[in-house]
Each structure stands twice: as structure tokens, then as C-alpha cells.
Amino acid sequence: MAVLVRPAAHRDAARIAELLDRLGHPATAEEVRARLTYWLGDPHSALLVAEVDGGVAGFAALHASPLIERTARRGRLVAIAVDGDARGRGVGRALMEAVETAARRLDCHDLEAAGARTRTGARRFYTALGFEEQCDRTSHLLKPL
């Protein structure tokens, strides 16, 4: 199966909305179109889609933030989703290779991925790609604003 990874475009909004819904983050195509406006215009972000047989089978979002403790940025995998029918067929791996390439281009020193501990398949996927668990060294805290 051939996988083509390319930058996302506004025409992908409806499909990205469907994939977000499957991740548990419901959104309308209109909402995603509005989000694409700031994602696609951000020079420190990359929003990529993976096409299989001409249709979008997955997407990944990366943002690079500057670090103060070193002259570099940290890439954060904000989201990745692959359609259920395309899982296990190289789509996620192709997206992650493209994310890593984009992160290097954005001068990222490293790449972080966060996710719910209940998503054991995702954790296995990240580990297979070389990600290491940091929970014994760091804490992930969130405060709503």
C-alpha cells in the first residue's frame, strides 16, 4: 500500500474532523476549517495528512516551541490519528517519519508525545518508534484557563 504524506489543506477539514471525532475530540468540518487557518499559517507548526488510494487515511499535528535551557526547540506531537481500516498498514509510521523530518527542519532537539495511559496501542506504537517513558522523571500538569 502506497502512503503519500503531504501538508494538510483546507479541503481536508471534513476528513480531519471525522478522525478527530474517532479520537474522542468531536469537531465539525467548519470548526476544523477555522483551526486550519491558524495551523497552516504558523511557521513553527506542521499539519500533515496521509493519503492512501487518493483519500485521507490519517493526520498528524506538530508544534515546535523554543527552549530556554538550550538553543533549540522541542517538538510536540499535538495529535495523530489513523483511520481504523488503515491501522497496521504503515500509515502511522509514514506520518511519524514526516513529523520527525518536519521537527528537524524546525530545529527541534527532541520530540514529545503525550497520550492517555488507557491507549495502550498508542503507547506501544510510540515505544516501537524510539520514544521513552518520562513519567518517572517528569510530571504532566494541566490547568484550564
Side-chain angles (χ1 to χ4, degrees), residues 58-145:
F59 80 92
L62 164 76
H63 181 71
S65 298
L67 298 174
I68 195 67
E69 66 272 20
R70 65 173 45 130
T71 306
R73 295 179 184 277
R74 170 162 293 142
R76 182 166 197 280
L77 180 66
V78 176
I80 184 170
V82 175
D83 187 78
D85 294 338
R87 288 194 182 145
R89 301 175 69 191
V91 174
R93 186 170 293 275
L95 280 166
M96 288 303 297
E97 287 173 3
V99 163
E100 288 184 25
T101 297
R104 286 184 187 96
R105 191 176 61 250
L106 292 169
D107 296 323
C108 293
H109 172 266
D110 53 17
L111 181 61
E112 72 174 342
R117 290 193 173 278
T118 56
R119 293 189 172 169
T120 56
R123 295 174 71 79
R124 280 192 305 271
F125 173 71
Y126 295 135
T127 301
L129 292 174
F131 285 81
E132 297 176 6
E133 186 64 58
Q134 300 294 304
C135 286
D136 61 335
R137 289 177 269 178
T138 64
S139 176
H140 184 92
L141 304 170
L142 182 67
K143 179 181 178 180
L145 298 178

Side-chain angles (χ1 to χ4, degrees), residues 17-82:
E18 290 174 17
L19 292 164
L20 279 169
D21 187 52
R22 291 180 187 173
L23 275 181
H25 304 289
T28 65
E30 293 75 29
E31 289 170 327
V32 172
R33 263 188 218 92
R35 296 170 193 172
L36 288 175
T37 299
Y38 55 81
W39 267 94
L40 300 180
D42 185 342
H44 300 293
S45 297
L47 184 58
L48 307 166
V49 296
E51 285 188 359
V52 175
D53 297 329
V56 173
F59 80 92
L62 164 76
H63 181 71
S65 298
L67 298 174
I68 195 67
E69 66 272 20
R70 65 173 45 130
T71 306
R73 295 179 184 277
R74 170 162 293 142
R76 182 166 197 280
L77 180 66
V78 176
I80 184 170
V82 175

